[in-house]
Amino acid sequence: MNKVVKDYITKLGYKNAIDENHEKCIEKWLKIFKGKTKEHSYYIYNGKRKNKIEMKSLSIANQSCGDLSDFFFNEKLEITINKKNIQEIIDKTLMQNNFLYNCNSLMQFVEALGTGAIVPYLDKNKLRINYIKAPNIVILSTRESVPAEVLFWNEEFGRNGKVITINTHLLDENDNYVIYNSKFSDDGVEIQIEDDLKEIKTDSPIPKFGILKTTIVNNIDINSPYGISIYHNAIDNILSIDRTFDSLDNEISIGRKRVYVSTSASRFNTDENGNMTPVFDSSDIAFYQVPGEENKEPIKESSFELRIEELTQDLQAKLNLYTSKIGLGHNFYKFRDGESYVNTDNVMSSNSDVYRKIKKQENNITNCLINVIYAIAELLNLGTDFEISIDYDDSIIEDTEKIRQQAQTEYNSKLISKAQYYRDVYKLDDDNAIKFAKKMNQEIQEQTIHDGTEFDLNE
């Protein structure tokens, strides 16, 4: 965290909110999210020198965060408001802010770093939305484990150097939010901003931010208000996956043949000009110098069978263990043709542990989005006298064809009504399912059709 931000927080009286251990965890998670870490370097000794090797990586941490984010923020996400005029304004506002794309990107960082925030605000009477990543979020206080007062900060580069922007949301004595905005130069000198932006009294208890967190219990600090990375408890698994993937690549590059050379064969040759050159390149890991072999054959090759199938099976087993630990379940990824693919045939049952974990995360996202929509409505003077419903793409985690077939069987056996069929298959609520069933019955009667069997009208 920037020193200017730390000093600002201390001056506010929230010094205990600075969590340096959590900051170190975020740095570690971010390095893993970016790809290779220092653990991806190792050495192979060829009998003469150590050769530094860069381990190959599947970048599975990055991929899994993206795949999890796609569960929640995709084109089938629906934010429904029960008032048409407000719905139209909110839809337009979200579209102008590229809301779906930005939320998908933010959610990937939430899965990786544990926490994120969506912060709407007015900029010269135009609504804008900031998408804040974990390193730039400081939770100042909580209520019943829910973030209540929060500080967001950012570093920008202006004409005169680095500028630190701080946006603080605090509660007043009436439990209404007051928003404070400040700017500082990199050396801590405050930069003047417009008076009407320094302190904004919202006169509302509705927060002008929404917090996104992973649903994994924070086992680093059980009292921490922050979420943790989905792969925090699977870091060893990530390295294990990459070791196997690296071994699979090495199986091809150096596993076909090993060449052993004696000390005499690894000496120097001298050309007609007196220039000395080594017989073999000492950095070539295909050759291994065997000491004390002067009287034996100078060069001996050894060929090995490639262990592609065994390594592929090992890699698949490790992928299964990793995805089970992060909430994607068994067999989410399939490794073939040298790449890791999402197993699209792997449908997640509504009774499965994966389904429950996804629904748990949806509840957290729903609370965040509802807060954000109400905050936007207040900023746009639309009021908050309306209801919001959030619907996700359940086709990702449900076998819709199996559900339809099961509902059809139950309906034909007279175990469920038409309205229940529409609830199960089309996900209609009770009122709309009954209305739709009545409408279909009316159309069937008007067309003299009974359960899909059409009769000749001339009979």
Side-chain angles (χ1 to χ4, degrees):
M1 184 187 299
N2 188 287
K3 183 180 182 302
V4 173
V5 180
K6 288 184 178 181
D7 291 342
Y8 184 89
I9 293 171
T10 301
K11 187 176 179 180
L12 277 180
Y14 291 92
K15 183 178 180 180
N16 291 335
I18 301 173
D19 190 340
E20 293 183 353
N21 289 331
H22 183 68
E23 291 177 36
K24 291 178 181 177
C25 287
I26 290 176
E27 291 176 4
K28 182 177 181 179
W29 298 332
L30 186 57
K31 288 178 181 177
I32 295 171
F33 181 77
K34 288 180 177 180
K36 297 179 181 180
T37 62
K38 63 180 181 180
E39 285 80 11
H40 283 78
S41 295
Y42 64 97
Y43 292 87
I44 288 181
Y45 182 63
N46 65 1
K48 191 171 184 179
R49 59 174 287 183
K50 287 184 178 180
N51 294 281
K52 188 175 182 180
I53 306 298
E54 184 88 0
M55 186 190 301
K56 306 296 188 302
S57 175
L58 272 179
S59 298
I60 198 66
N62 184 297
Q63 181 174 346
S64 56
C65 290
D67 290 331
L68 275 168
S69 178
D70 289 343
F71 280 161
F72 312 111
F73 292 102
N74 58 51
E75 69 281 356
K76 292 186 179 180
L77 174 69
E78 292 185 1
I79 301 174
T80 306
I81 298 171
N82 65 342
K83 290 188 177 181
K84 185 178 180 181
N85 61 323
I86 297 178
Q87 175 84 64
E88 292 175 351
I89 296 173
I90 295 295
D91 285 347
K92 183 179 179 181
T93 300
L94 296 182
M95 183 182 67
Q96 289 174 341
N97 283 275
N98 207 4
F99 187 74
L100 185 59
Y101 173 82
N102 286 321
C103 282
N104 184 290
S105 298
L106 176 64
M107 194 64 202
Q108 293 184 48
F109 284 102
V110 172
E111 302 289 0
L113 308 180
T115 312
I118 304 173
V119 186
Y121 66 100
L122 288 178
D123 180 15
K124 298 178 181 179
N125 294 323
K126 185 174 183 179
L127 192 130
R128 301 186 184 278
I129 301 175
N130 277 336
Y131 306 87
I132 314 295
K133 301 177 184 66
N136 301 95
I137 300 172
V138 181
I139 298 175
L140 302 174
S141 69
T142 61
R143 285 185 175 177
E144 298 178 356
S145 301
V146 177
E149 298 177 304
V150 186
L151 178 145
F152 307 107
W153 66 279
N154 189 33
E155 290 182 348
E156 300 172 342
F157 289 91
R159 293 180 179 178
N160 299 319
K162 189 182 294 184
V163 175
I164 293 91
T165 303
I166 300 176
N167 174 242
T168 312
H169 297 244
L170 302 178
L171 290 166
D172 63 16
E173 63 277 4
N174 297 316
D175 277 349
N176 292 327
Y177 276 95
V178 181
I179 302 172
Y180 300 91
N181 294 294
S182 301
K183 283 187 178 182
F184 297 89
S185 63
D186 195 33
D187 55 2
V189 177
E190 187 169 4
I191 299 172
Q192 291 299 316
I193 60 174
E194 295 86 343
D195 290 338
D196 58 338
L197 294 179
K198 289 182 178 180
E199 180 179 330
I200 302 172
K201 295 182 178 181
T202 67
D203 297 321
S204 170
I206 296 176
K208 298 302 180 287
F209 59 87
I211 297 292
L212 289 167
K213 295 200 301 182
T214 55
T215 57
I216 302 172
V217 173
N218 190 330
N219 59 331
I220 304 170
D221 179 358
I222 60 174
N223 296 314
S224 173
Y226 300 97
I228 66 171
S229 170
I230 58 163
Y231 50 75
H232 171 74
N233 295 305
I235 293 175
D236 288 343
N237 300 83
I238 294 172
L239 289 173
S240 181
I241 288 169
D242 286 345
R243 288 191 192 102
T244 301
F245 180 61
D246 184 65
S247 296
L248 186 60
D249 180 75
N250 285 338
E251 195 74 8
I252 303 299
S253 62
I254 65 173
R256 301 180 201 147
K257 182 180 293 186
R258 192 72 168 168
V259 180
Y260 297 95
V261 297
S262 66
T263 305
S264 60
S266 61
R267 292 171 181 166
F268 291 84
N269 287 332
T270 305
D271 60 19
E272 61 275 9
N273 297 321
N275 297 319
M276 299 181 66
T277 57
V279 176
F280 294 103
D281 185 355
S282 62
S283 65
D284 192 336
I285 61 175
F287 295 94
Y288 191 95
Q289 178 179 315
V290 181
E293 296 288 328
E294 275 81 355
N295 298 324
K296 297 184 179 181
E297 55 184 320
I299 300 175
K300 182 179 179 179
E301 67 176 32
S302 178
S303 298
F304 300 93
E305 292 184 7
L306 299 180
R307 301 166 298 149
I308 303 300
E309 184 176 351
E310 292 87 347
L311 287 170
T312 299
Q313 291 175 354
D314 181 64
L315 183 56
Q316 184 64 61
K318 290 176 178 178
L319 283 170
N320 291 344
L321 180 59
Y322 171 74
T323 54
S324 295
K325 292 185 74 170
I326 66 168
L328 284 172
H330 198 71
N331 271 334
F332 184 82
Y333 292 119
K334 282 291 186 183
F335 185 82
R336 65 176 184 269
D337 301 330
E339 291 187 48
S340 177
Y341 296 88
V342 173
N343 182 11
T344 55
D345 296 329
N346 184 33
V347 178
M348 303 173 195
S349 166
S350 60
N351 293 322
S352 73
D353 182 53
V354 182
Y355 180 90
R356 290 192 293 271
K357 287 179 179 177
I358 289 175
K359 285 298 180 183
K360 187 178 178 181
Q361 184 67 74
E362 285 180 357
N363 291 337
N364 175 269
I365 295 173
T366 296
N367 291 334
C368 172
L369 293 182
I370 288 175
N371 280 345
V372 170
I373 297 304
Y374 279 132
I376 291 173
E378 278 200 339
L379 289 169
L380 296 177
N381 295 319
L382 300 176
T384 56
D385 186 21
F386 57 86
E387 295 180 0
I388 306 168
S389 63
I390 312 292
D391 296 302
Y392 301 89
D393 180 15
D394 283 341
S395 65
I396 296 175
I397 53 178
E398 292 182 346
D399 189 342
T400 52
E401 179 60 23
K402 185 176 181 180
I403 291 173
R404 187 193 65 78
Q405 292 176 357
Q406 180 68 23
Q408 182 69 54
T409 300
E410 292 177 351
Y411 174 72
N412 292 339
S413 301
K414 298 183 179 179
L415 297 176
I416 62 173
S417 64
K418 284 185 177 180
Q420 185 60 46
Y421 177 89
Y422 297 137
R423 292 187 193 101
D424 293 342
V425 176
Y426 298 110
K427 309 301 179 186
L428 299 179
D429 57 31
D430 289 345
D431 291 340
N432 286 326
I434 293 171
K435 290 178 182 178
F436 192 67
K438 289 180 179 179
K439 181 180 178 182
M440 291 300 100
N441 284 336
Q442 182 179 356
E443 291 184 4
I444 288 171
Q445 292 174 2
E446 290 175 354
Q447 299 176 36
T448 63
I449 298 174
H450 299 277
D451 291 335
T453 304
E454 186 172 349
F455 293 91
D456 188 347
L457 298 176
N458 295 323
E459 288 184 354

